[in-house]
Amino acid sequence: MKVYLAGPEVFLPNAREVLDRKIDLTRRYGFTPVAPGDLEVPATDTKRAKGFAISSINERLMTSADMIIANLTPFRGVAADVGTAFELGFMCARGCPAYAFSNTASNHFERVSRLYAGRILGDSQDRPRGPDGLAVEDFDMVDNLMLDGGIEARGGVVVTREVEAGRLFEDHRAFEECLRIATTRFLR
């Protein structure tokens, strides 16, 4: 079974090392890893063309996979990496089993509340809103309800751990827990 490894690890300065560790773990659990960065990006004339080439390669990789494990650890803000969210949605739309992990144990509401310095109040229908008037999701989920919901609807789980800030994208314990859970479902 081929597993697409989604996450923002490709942006790390030691991306190849971190991805290779995840690839090795995936193989040890009996799955075939499919990871962004595994195919060479062709030379292009413009930055935009290069971006489209990378997008096309990643879509081909996802189409070749049977399942996804997505890293939903907040990236550059309070939510998961937007590219990872797209990849998770793409795989869910294909009907593939989906698993995810986050190396922070706080839920989406808690992180948004910190962003607003705790200034969230209920409106006239008791819906939480930030000081900017925007509604805030409060569903006790790791991230946006569509991400958690897509995983749950496909029989997957989201594993969370609290990892020190300097190791958020290098600690693989939650990722490995996803592999263990998927192994019991698909390989035994």
Side-chain angles (χ1 to χ4, degrees):
M1 192 168 197
K2 290 183 177 181
V3 180
Y4 187 79
L5 309 177
E9 290 85 354
V10 296
F11 297 108
L12 297 175
N14 60 340
R16 188 73 264 163
E17 174 189 324
V18 172
L19 287 170
D20 285 347
R21 176 81 177 116
K22 287 176 77 175
I23 287 167
D24 181 55
L25 284 167
T26 304
R27 286 188 179 120
R28 277 201 247 157
Y29 279 86
F31 295 105
T32 301
V34 178
D38 279 354
L39 296 179
E40 199 167 315
V41 178
T44 60
D45 294 335
T46 67
K47 290 182 205 179
R48 187 172 171 84
K50 185 173 186 168
F52 285 136
I54 293 168
S55 174
S56 177
I57 288 167
N58 288 346
E59 284 197 24
R60 277 199 323 268
L61 288 172
M62 287 186 287
T63 301
S64 77
D66 306 300
M67 177 173 84
I68 185 170
I69 298 177
N71 182 349
L72 300 182
T73 303
F75 183 69
R76 296 181 180 155
V78 298
D81 167 56
V82 68
T84 302
F86 172 87
E87 292 167 332
L88 179 57
F90 185 99
M91 294 296 283
C92 285
R94 289 186 54 228
C96 297
Y99 294 82
F101 67 95
S102 177
N103 280 335
T104 182
S106 62
N107 67 37
H108 189 258
F109 178 81
E110 292 165 340
R111 294 191 308 272
V112 172
S113 181
R114 282 196 299 272
L115 175 72
Y116 287 138
R119 296 181 325 221
I120 296 180
L121 300 171
D123 63 15
S124 61
Q125 286 88 35
D126 205 29
R127 184 169 184 188
R129 293 194 179 274
D132 53 12
L134 298 176
V136 179
E137 286 187 17
D138 187 10
F139 300 111
D140 197 25
M141 295 185 179
V142 170
D143 212 287
N144 177 277
L145 63 91
M146 295 304 294
L147 301 183
D148 286 65
I151 294 162
E152 177 82 16
R154 282 146 193 87
V157 297
V158 180
V159 175
T160 62
R161 290 200 181 284
E162 193 60 43
V163 173
E164 63 185 82
R167 298 207 21 89
L168 281 178
F169 298 100
E170 296 176 359
D171 186 304
H172 299 300
R173 290 175 296 165
F175 170 71
E176 196 168 359
E177 182 63 20
C178 286
L179 288 167
R180 263 193 293 281
I181 293 166
T183 298
T184 64
R185 182 174 173 195
F186 297 106
L187 300 180
R188 294 202 179 175

